[in-house]
Amino acid sequence: MTTTSTTAPWQACGCGEEQVPGLLARVGVFGTLGLALAALVVMILAGWLLSTGVWLLRRRGERAVDEVTEPGPADSPTGALGGFTWTAEDP
């Protein structure tokens, strides 16, 4: 097959391009490498965003548990007997 003026630019010229995958034939080596690197970067960013979201959710849950278990200012002892605890035993 020879290249003529009626052949579209993306069509193979008979030089072995039929052996080349379609994406590589359409965008070239640098285009294919660029697409592969862009896909890799997108996957890395998606992983970072997902891990950040999980970390924020876990941190929020830990704070909610800490607020429930920690005594607030109303529960804290004040005055002269601030640390006193009652026991049933006589000394």
Side-chain angles (χ1 to χ4, degrees), residues 1-13:
M1 178 176 177
T2 59
T3 305
T4 63
S5 60
T6 59
T7 305
W10 54 269
Q11 288 181 336
C13 68

Side-chain angles (χ1 to χ4, degrees), residues 4 16 59-60 64 66 71-72 80:
T4 63
R59 183 173 156 209
R60 181 180 175 189
D66 289 343

Side-chain angles (χ1 to χ4, degrees), residues 6-7 9-10 12 17-19 25 28-29 31 34 36-39 43 45 47 49 57 59 62 64 67 70 81:
T6 59
T7 305
W10 54 269
E17 281 86 359
E18 62 272 358
Q19 305 289 329
V29 174
L37 289 175
M43 285 189 275
L45 289 175
L49 288 174
L57 287 174
R59 183 173 156 209
E62 289 172 0
E67 288 177 3
E70 289 182 2
L81 298 175

Side-chain angles (χ1 to χ4, degrees), residues 5-55:
S5 60
T6 59
T7 305
W10 54 269
Q11 288 181 336
C13 68
C15 307
E17 281 86 359
E18 62 272 358
Q19 305 289 329
V20 177
L23 180 67
L24 186 61
R26 276 187 232 119
V27 296
V29 174
F30 293 118
T32 303
L33 288 176
L35 285 173
L37 289 175
L40 182 66
V41 167
V42 166
M43 285 189 275
I44 290 171
L45 289 175
W48 275 99
L49 288 174
L50 188 64
S51 64
T52 301
V54 169
W55 176 76

